[in-house]
Amino acid sequence: MAERRAFAQKISRTVAAEVRKQISGQYSGSPQLLKNLNIVGNISHHTTVPLTEAVDPVDLEDYLITHPLAVDSGPLRDLVEFPPDDIEVVYSPRDCRTLVSAVPEESEMDPHVRDCIRSYTEDWAIVIRKYHKLGTGFNPNTLDKQKERQKGLPKQVFESDEAPDGNSYQDEQDDLKRRSMSIDDTPRGSWACSIFDLKNSLPDALLPNLLDRTPNEEIDRQNDDQRKSNRHKELFALHPSPDEEEPIERLSVPDVPKEHFGQRLLVKCLSLKFEIEIEPIFASLALYDVKEKKKISENFYFDLNSEQMKGLLRPHVPPAAITTLARSAIFSITYPSQDVFLVIKLEKVLQQGDIGECAEPYMIFKEADATKNKEKLEKLKSQADQFCQRLGKYRMPFAWTAIHLMNIVSSAGSLERDSTEVEISTGERKGSWSERRNSSIVGRRSLERTTSGDDACNLTSFRPATLTVTNFFKQEGDRLSDEDLYKFLADMRRPSSVLRRLRPITAQLKIDISPAPENPHYCLTPELLQVKLYPDSRVRPTREILEFPARDVYVPNTTYRNLLYIYPQSLNFANRQGSARNITVKVQFMYGEDPSNAMPVS
């Protein structure tokens, strides 16, 4: 490689365009540019300009502190200084749904616990910003407002939007051909070509009053009038709303926090009847989501036994409180879907033998054969009485069934009458739902299952329905877990022979399903506190059932809730030697290891 000459080694290799770009960015057209350039001219030509150094952004808060604003009044002072009346703090009293607060007394609390508890009772401090709408973070252009503003606007049609007409397009092509044939021999850019184009061009429209002498004030007034004519009152608001991914923080004004409720469903349990009545039967309701494989509500226990059957448990059961006599419940569903089932489980008093042996009489004896089997029924009643006297405090699983909730809701919502009566037979295969109107119409017509998406799952506008469940499934002793239940529920949605192998128990359960009213009377919270509008404490209440949402709900916790739900799943004694009979599980809160250290938790 040839050596560079001496004069070439002294030449700076910095590109002149980059130098000009950097200098223009530093001075930004300042009047001192010439002075600075003269100074740069005196610098040695060997000095290199750094082009890769990162420039730290200006700390605005620090700059404002170190450079206080001038106090001189001026026309732009209001735009620079922070308005003194922008922020206003208003205290709003916190609303309490219940007659008595759920927050415990503060006298027996630690100081730090007391401070935490006060967050559920103190008034709301609402910060009102008067000039919030003038900031860049406020965006009032919602989709509905945009559509409302665009009503009555003339549609803008441009030449590029218009579809070319076939005839006009052919005329233009012919004209181009004639022109090309006429000027084939004329060189482009010549004087003759320009004359030819000028003769074939169309004249422009004349401008009226172009050469008239008009004062400037009159021209400005005319222009101002033309701009105001047919001008939209919110011109800049017609601009489409920015993309949600735009890196600008949108500060929306939040609502006052309140207790979260999903779509609420009122379920009333009317009656429960079997072919034979020999012992008390206990029932419970709960919601399950098959897709998420989760239980999405707590259990609602209700008692539909007759006074005669309740008398068998009198030695073991204390006098019932009014809060335990509820036969109607309000379920909350935040994420309704086609996979939600209302599961009904039945229990009976614990007795000797397998579950199948205990359920055998309910599958054999019929109500019509009561006279023929009188002696056998009396013997069964005597045995049930003995078990109630000995083991009246203990329960065992008996039977279960499930109701496809969205199928009932969609079926009831599609009917013309104000209420419907639906009979459900779970012993048959899928598609056995049948409907019967409240009028004297005898015929039945099958209801098609709903296969639409989650948008059709609306629990707030369907018509009330009365359901009659005619069959239950006998509980299998080796299939008591929730995983087994999810498999059965999945089979109920599609034709399957799995449910046919389960032995049904004939019974009749009547329940009402309807949208819950906004302010129901005689209602109890999950903490058994009376909700306002509770005129009489002796009336049978309605229970609010706590929801276990299938997915997270991002709302602040504004209600004090001190509840712990414990559901024992299984107890495995497979590795234990010897028999493992009469095993019970007892759950207690203890503050020591001694049995006397059990805490009275209610």
Side-chain angles (χ1 to χ4, degrees):
M1 181 176 179
E3 296 182 358
R4 298 176 60 188
R5 298 184 180 183
F7 75 91
Q9 295 178 357
K10 299 180 182 181
I11 299 177
S12 175
R13 305 303 298 173
T14 304
V15 181
E18 296 180 355
V19 176
R20 287 195 298 270
K21 181 179 180 181
Q22 182 181 9
I23 294 177
S24 62
Q26 289 179 352
Y27 298 97
S28 303
S30 173
Q32 297 182 353
L33 178 60
L34 181 60
K35 180 180 178 181
N36 292 332
L37 290 177
N38 294 333
I39 298 175
V40 173
N42 297 328
I43 300 176
S44 175
H45 59 269
H46 293 285
T47 304
T48 59
V49 181
L51 300 175
T52 59
E53 293 184 1
V55 180
D56 295 333
V58 178
D59 189 345
L60 181 60
E61 288 78 6
D62 184 57
Y63 180 83
L64 294 178
I65 294 175
T66 56
H67 299 75
L69 299 175
V71 297
D72 297 338
S73 60
L76 303 179
R77 180 177 180 180
D78 294 338
L79 300 178
V80 176
E81 294 184 349
F82 189 84
D85 59 340
D86 180 29
I87 295 179
E88 180 183 2
V89 180
V90 178
Y91 290 93
S92 175
R94 186 188 293 258
D95 186 22
C96 182
R97 296 180 61 240
T98 57
L99 297 177
V100 181
S101 177
V103 178
E105 297 293 336
E106 298 181 0
S107 57
E108 301 179 357
M109 294 183 184
D110 295 336
H112 65 281
V113 177
R114 188 184 304 113
D115 293 338
C116 295
I117 293 298
R118 287 178 180 174
S119 63
Y120 296 101
T121 58
E122 292 181 346
D123 296 339
W124 297 112
I126 303 176
V127 179
I128 301 176
R129 301 179 182 271
K130 295 183 179 180
Y131 306 106
H132 174 69
K133 296 182 178 180
L134 303 179
T136 58
F138 180 77
N139 182 20
N141 294 334
T142 61
L143 183 60
D144 296 337
K145 290 184 178 180
Q146 285 287 88
K147 293 181 179 179
E148 185 67 24
R149 293 191 185 102
Q150 293 173 1
K151 290 182 178 179
L153 291 178
K155 186 177 180 180
Q156 302 291 332
V157 180
F158 301 93
E159 295 180 358
S160 58
D161 299 333
E162 294 180 345
D165 189 7
N167 297 330
S168 61
Y169 179 76
Q170 186 64 31
D171 296 340
E172 292 178 0
Q173 294 296 325
D174 297 340
D175 182 58
L176 290 175
K177 290 181 179 179
R178 288 192 299 269
R179 293 175 58 186
S180 61
M181 291 173 63
S182 303
I183 62 174
D184 281 342
D185 299 332
T186 304
R188 276 292 171 188
S190 63
W191 176 80
C193 180
S194 300
I195 293 297
F196 184 83
D197 293 340
L198 188 61
K199 290 182 178 180
N200 287 275
S201 63
L202 297 176
D204 295 332
L206 298 178
L207 297 178
N209 304 325
L210 178 62
L211 302 178
D212 294 348
R213 293 182 177 271
T214 307
N216 295 334
E217 294 79 5
E218 181 65 20
I219 296 177
D220 294 339
R221 187 188 64 78
Q222 293 178 2
N223 293 336
D224 187 51
D225 294 341
Q226 291 180 1
R227 282 194 297 266
K228 291 181 179 179
S229 62
N230 299 326
R231 182 183 179 91
H232 197 275
K233 61 180 180 180
E234 296 178 347
L235 180 61
F236 293 101
L238 296 175
H239 190 275
S241 58
D243 191 3
E244 294 295 336
E245 298 181 356
E246 183 182 4
I248 297 179
E249 184 180 6
R250 296 299 178 187
L251 304 177
S252 59
V253 180
D255 298 330
V256 177
K258 59 182 179 180
E259 186 176 359
H260 169 74
F261 291 108
Q263 298 188 29
R264 306 204 336 149
L265 196 69
L266 176 61
V267 179
K268 295 181 180 180
C269 305
L270 304 179
S271 63
L272 176 62
K273 184 180 179 181
F274 287 86
E275 293 286 347
I276 58 176
E277 187 179 14
I278 59 177
E279 60 183 332
I281 301 295
F282 310 95
S284 64
L285 298 176
L287 293 177
Y288 288 82
D289 193 318
V290 179
K291 182 179 180 180
E292 300 291 339
K293 291 187 177 181
K294 287 184 179 180
K295 183 178 183 180
I296 60 175
S297 76
E298 64 168 314
N299 289 339
F300 169 60
Y301 296 93
F302 59 96
D303 188 358
L304 297 176
N305 293 298
S306 62
E307 293 297 330
Q308 180 183 1
M309 293 294 103
K310 292 179 182 179
L312 300 177
L313 301 174
R314 206 164 273 125
H316 301 280
V317 180
I322 189 66
T323 56
T324 63
L325 301 180
R327 293 182 179 177
S328 57
I330 297 178
F331 291 88
S332 177
I333 306 177
T334 302
Y335 302 107
S337 68
Q338 298 292 333
D339 305 295
V340 177
F341 281 82
L342 180 65
V343 178
I344 307 169
K345 293 184 179 181
L346 302 182
E347 296 178 343
K348 61 191 298 296
V349 176
L350 179 64
Q351 70 181 72
Q352 184 180 359
D354 188 68
I355 298 177
E357 298 176 2
C358 301
E360 194 71 22
Y362 293 90
M363 295 183 288
I364 296 177
F365 296 105
K366 302 297 180 181
E367 185 178 7
D369 302 333
T371 305
K372 184 193 307 182
N373 302 318
K374 184 175 181 181
E375 294 182 359
K376 296 181 180 180
L377 292 178
E378 291 296 333
K379 184 179 179 180
L380 291 174
K381 288 182 180 180
S382 176
Q383 293 177 358
D385 189 9
Q386 295 177 7
F387 288 121
C388 289
Q389 296 296 328
R390 293 171 49 202
L391 305 171
K393 293 190 299 184
Y394 304 100
R395 306 286 181 263
M396 65 181 294
F398 175 47
W400 69 276
T401 190
I403 299 174
H404 190 199
L405 190 60
M406 292 306 165
N407 185 36
I408 298 299
V409 170
S410 60
S411 301
S414 63
L415 300 178
E416 299 177 355
R417 300 186 61 87
D418 294 336
S419 61
T420 63
E421 185 174 347
V422 180
E423 184 176 339
I424 303 173
S425 177
T426 55
E428 302 176 5
R429 66 189 297 272
K430 178 190 175 182
S432 64
W433 306 89
S434 59
E435 168 218 339
R436 184 175 57 200
R437 297 190 180 183
N438 283 345
S439 60
S440 58
I441 300 177
V442 182
R444 298 179 181 177
R445 59 186 179 90
S446 60
L447 298 177
E448 297 180 356
R449 292 186 178 272
T450 304
T451 58
S452 58
D454 294 349
D455 296 338
C457 303
N458 188 2
L459 304 180
T460 59
S461 60
F462 70 96
R463 292 179 175 84
T466 301
L467 278 65
T468 302
V469 183
T470 57
N471 280 337
F472 286 80
F473 297 118
K474 184 194 71 173
Q475 182 67 62
E476 301 292 337
D478 56 345
R479 297 181 179 180
L480 298 175
S481 64
D482 287 346
E483 287 73 16
D484 297 323
L485 178 61
Y486 295 138
K487 295 178 182 178
F488 288 135
L489 296 179
D491 292 332
M492 294 183 70
R493 295 196 59 186
R494 60 177 183 267
S496 174
S497 60
V498 177
L499 296 179
R500 290 185 178 182
R501 295 196 294 265
L502 299 179
R503 299 187 61 183
I505 298 177
T506 304
Q508 189 180 71
L509 173 65
K510 282 191 175 183
I511 59 176
D512 280 346
I513 297 182
S514 62
E518 185 176 356
N519 297 312
H521 291 189
Y522 307 106
C523 190
L524 298 178
T525 64
E527 294 84 6
L528 302 182
L529 298 177
Q530 296 179 354
V531 181
K532 291 180 180 179
L533 299 179
Y534 207 105
D536 191 354
S537 301
R538 297 170 297 179
V539 177
R540 191 186 300 273
T542 298
R543 284 277 311 276
E544 286 184 353
I545 305 303
L546 187 64
E547 180 188 8
F548 306 147
R551 299 187 295 275
D552 293 334
V553 179
Y554 299 100
V555 294
N557 296 320
T558 60
T559 305
Y560 178 82
R561 179 152 288 150
N562 190 16
L563 298 176
L564 179 64
Y565 294 90
I566 301 177
Y567 295 102
Q569 297 297 321
S570 62
L571 186 62
N572 190 356
F573 278 91
N575 298 328
R576 184 180 182 275
Q577 295 180 358
S579 62
R581 298 188 306 169
N582 302 331
I583 302 298
T584 60
V585 178
K586 187 176 183 180
V587 180
Q588 279 185 318
F589 276 101
M590 308 288 292
Y591 65 91
E593 297 183 0
D594 191 82
S596 61
N597 298 137
M599 298 176 61
V601 179
S602 58

